[in-house]
PDB file of all heavy atoms in Angstrom:
ATOM      1  N   ILE K  64      80.199 108.440 164.831  1.00 98.00           N
ATOM      2  CA  ILE K  64      81.020 107.731 165.806  1.00 98.00           C
ATOM      3  C   ILE K  64      82.430 107.552 165.243  1.00 98.00           C
ATOM      4  O   ILE K  64      83.415 107.832 165.903  1.00 98.00           O
ATOM      5  CB  ILE K  64      80.405 106.349 166.149  1.00 98.00           C
ATOM      6  CG1 ILE K  64      79.052 106.535 166.854  1.00 98.00           C
ATOM      7  CG2 ILE K  64      81.350 105.549 167.050  1.00 98.00           C
ATOM      8  CD1 ILE K  64      78.254 105.246 167.004  1.00 98.00           C
ATOM      9  N   THR K  74      85.338  98.211 161.409  1.00 98.00           N
ATOM     10  CA  THR K  74      85.707  97.841 162.779  1.00 98.00           C
ATOM     11  C   THR K  74      84.754  98.448 163.794  1.00 98.00           C
ATOM     12  O   THR K  74      84.313  97.760 164.727  1.00 98.00           O
ATOM     13  CB  THR K  74      87.159  98.296 163.069  1.00 98.00           C
ATOM     14  OG1 THR K  74      88.032  97.637 162.154  1.00 98.00           O
ATOM     15  CG2 THR K  74      87.578  97.951 164.484  1.00 98.00           C
ATOM     16  N   LEU K  79      79.996  97.836 167.416  1.00 98.00           N
ATOM     17  CA  LEU K  79      78.585  98.137 167.678  1.00 98.00           C
ATOM     18  C   LEU K  79      77.767  96.856 167.725  1.00 98.00           C
ATOM     19  O   LEU K  79      76.863  96.708 168.559  1.00 98.00           O
ATOM     20  CB  LEU K  79      78.042  99.094 166.610  1.00 98.00           C
ATOM     21  CG  LEU K  79      78.565 100.532 166.704  1.00 98.00           C
ATOM     22  CD1 LEU K  79      78.207 101.327 165.444  1.00 98.00           C
ATOM     23  CD2 LEU K  79      78.017 101.235 167.946  1.00 98.00           C
TER      24      LEU K  79
END
Side-chain angles (χ1 to χ4, degrees):
Chain K
I64 295 169
T74 299
L79 288 168

